[in-house]
Amino acid sequence: MELAINVLHFSSAFQLFLKTLALTHLPGHYSVCVVRGMQDDIRLEFPGPTVTIALEKSLNTPETIGDILVHSINAGCEGFLVMEDALFPFLDNYRAAHEAAFFRAPNKRIIAVSRLGATERKRLLEHDTMEVTPNILLVKGNETAGTIDLYTTKLSPLEPRGIVADLQWLERISVEDELVELPDTLRKFPDKLSNMEGRRVRLSTLPYPPCSVANEVPLGQGNARSTVPVNYSLQADGTEILMVLELCRRHNCTLEIELVANSEWGQVYPNGSSDGLIGSLIDRRSDVAVAAIYRWYNWYKYVTMSAYTGRSGVSCLVPRPRLLPYWQTPFLSFPPSLWLMVSVSFCVGTVAVFFTERARQRVHPPAGATEKHKLVDSIFFMVSLYVEQSVPLRHDLMAGSMLLSFLLFGGFMIGNSYAGALACVMTIPRYEKSIDTRADFAASGMKWSGPTVAWMNSLLMAEQPELVTIRNRYEVHDGGTLAGFSHTRRDMGYVHERLQYGSYALESFIDINATRLLQPLKEDVFWEQIITACSKTWPLMGFYDDLILRVQQNGILRYWELGSVIRNMGLEIQRNLANARVHDQDHEPVKLLIAHFLGVFFILFVGLTLATVIFAIEHVVYRANSDLPA
């Protein structure tokens, strides 16, 4: 009888202690999830929202338990109070449930009840969720002694890679008194993130300066290491990796880097497989991924997106306009539309002169003249007016005089306009039409390209006609092919982005010689926010977001961006693109050279050639008609 009374007394005190513990350490969470087994007895009341999960033995399957946990997490559960029978089913499904849920909480805490026998201890410490659940407090009750022991996990780095977990005893509390209070040592939740004691943070990235760079250096040097044991270290750089390095400096952790195969952002395929950076996160090979990743909606299902680390304007590099060849000089004085109007007016004037002259010959036949006015005479008459040469002036017919007056005025205007425009064309160099805006690029019919389709993730749901046209013209080629295209093809553009403080982030196929042949558009095709893609169970997520906001508000990112550009890209490439639309001093008005008259010589050459050919044909025809020997 006395034993039963003691058990009831301990059970009541234990329930009260659990409530005190939960109210102390889980009050700031949106809701608390109480996870119990069928045999667990728990009678707790919380002032905030609470979700209670009963894991029945008949439902003790990973799929069913996982679905139940997903629903509870989506209900806002950030803190978990896990009873003894539900501990290991909960841990077995912890990662999968959080990865499937859409609710994301940066500060997850777990208070778990366990007997911590030899078997339970071994299974717990070897569980693969220990690395992602550092905020765990273990409660072990001893009914016989009337005490409660509190433990937490102690995580230490394991060589060559990984972590090793052990139990750390915190405090022993007696429940002899009805009122159970927490000692001062338990007023704060056990903190294993402020000082991680060299534990790892796994990062996946690809070479993409100035955002992310990782170069091999001799073993023992550098500021990071590979995720797999190798005989070299890594020197990490770039605006986004510097952010993670600063996080590791503050929290005393070691950065491990995985350079993804094929240097691609990757995608998730319909069959569930994935590759690239997102594949590294889904396969749990890394905790974070950086390389100018945007807020792509098709990634959101699988990752947690950090606060934005910068703004990126995605645009296109197009061929620079070239100097027009000098043989085109005579034809550049007027635009095509004006040339069309001049041609129409020339033809109309020629026909009018022809009929007027024919009529004049009928009304006033010339004495001793038998040859009629021909069409070729009218053509040369109009040519003489347009080139401001003298023409015969006949005033014996009023209609002819009026026509001649207006034709003289028109020829005078056209001739002088052409001369003035020609003087401008010959002294100020003319270029091909420049593609300046997004609308110009869409209207040009030009395609654009990059090494991965990930660039188009932001335009998948675009509805604007210009963006739809540009998206449909995007092509994917490998880096070697694009490197050749950038030097040889003038009918293709190349994707690039301009970062928050004006630096250009380029794919590896754009080298310094290519930047001398290309120029960026004056405006962005579209813009995005750069984020860090993180695992949904990464425990440092809240600290990382806080660091990003501090770096942004203090302007440190501007210093990091400029320094990374200087160290990893050089300023010449940046200057080439920044000044691509600034004409050189040699393109100011110049003195006339012999090259400026190539167009005149071209017309003269064509005329002489045609005249010679026609003369030869006429000579042959004349000989044939006259029956003379050739």
Side-chain angles (χ1 to χ4, degrees), residues 262-264 449-453 474-486 492 494 507-510:
N262 300 324
S263 296
E264 290 190 0
S449 182
T452 175
V453 74
Y474 183 78
E475 296 181 350
V476 177
H477 299 282
D478 61 85
T481 301
L482 290 174
F485 285 171
S486 64
M492 180 172 285
Y494 309 95
E507 292 280 7
S508 57
F509 65 86
I510 300 294

Side-chain angles (χ1 to χ4, degrees), residues 491-551:
D491 60 344
M492 180 172 285
Y494 309 95
V495 65
H496 80 98
E497 61 181 317
R498 186 170 59 244
L499 301 181
Q500 181 167 329
Y501 295 103
S503 301
Y504 293 95
L506 306 172
E507 292 280 7
S508 57
F509 65 86
I510 300 294
D511 58 19
I512 191 170
N513 293 321
T515 58
R516 299 189 179 105
L517 304 174
L518 303 171
Q519 66 180 11
L521 298 181
K522 290 183 177 179
E523 63 182 18
D524 299 333
V525 175
F526 62 91
W527 68 273
E528 280 278 11
Q529 290 181 340
I530 299 176
I531 53 93
T532 299
C534 309
S535 167
K536 292 184 180 180
T537 55
W538 188 41
L540 289 171
M541 188 72 245
F543 295 100
Y544 186 65
D545 279 345
D546 179 74
L547 173 63
I548 290 174
L549 297 178
R550 291 177 183 273
V551 169

